[in-house]
Amino acid sequence: MGKVSALVKIAVTAGPAVWEAVRRMGPMLTRMREENPEIYYLVSQQVTRMANARQENRGEEGLRRRIGVLRDQVAYLISSADDDAERHRAEDWRRQLDKVEASLPLLGAMSRHAAAKESKHVDERIDALSAQILSAYVDEQREDHQLEP
């Protein structure tokens, strides 16, 4: 489980909900790494992008970069949806990301204390969406490449 444990360490930087999602998917990720390393690489690349976006920039720009990474995953989910339920779920995530991103300019109009509090709330919302979207992304990659659950 060496490389998967390294991925879990990277996921810690991406946020607590992402870390939990990667930890929970550990056995499946281990099988994925053994059976189809290319797909495992795609997943690990997404987790790394999430971690880098969270770590590199704080404030509004950092939140935008995190949303951008999630948008890429949602775009994949929409394009590879097998049915209307999957497509609607991915489109709902896209709308939620739009709403979060639309709220970011308001941070600049708030007092420093209020902006910090709201920024923390937005960060937590992005973290929760990150875990949901990443889990769906991994499942869709697994399905698209016909790997066993």
Side-chain angles (χ1 to χ4, degrees), residues 5 8 22 25 30 33 52 59 61 67 69-70 87 91 100 103 106-107 109 115 121 131 143 149:
S5 63
V8 171
V22 170
M25 293 184 291
T30 299
R33 183 177 59 92
N52 289 342
E61 181 58 30
I67 290 169
V69 172
L70 295 176
R87 190 173 351 282
E91 288 172 354
V100 170
S103 74
L106 299 175
L107 295 175
H121 173 73
E143 285 176 17

Side-chain angles (χ1 to χ4, degrees), residues 108-125:
M110 296 178 176
S111 70
R112 186 174 173 165
H113 177 71
K117 186 176 179 180
E118 184 60 23
S119 185
K120 183 177 190 265
H121 173 73
V122 170
D123 182 65
E124 290 169 353
R125 182 69 187 127

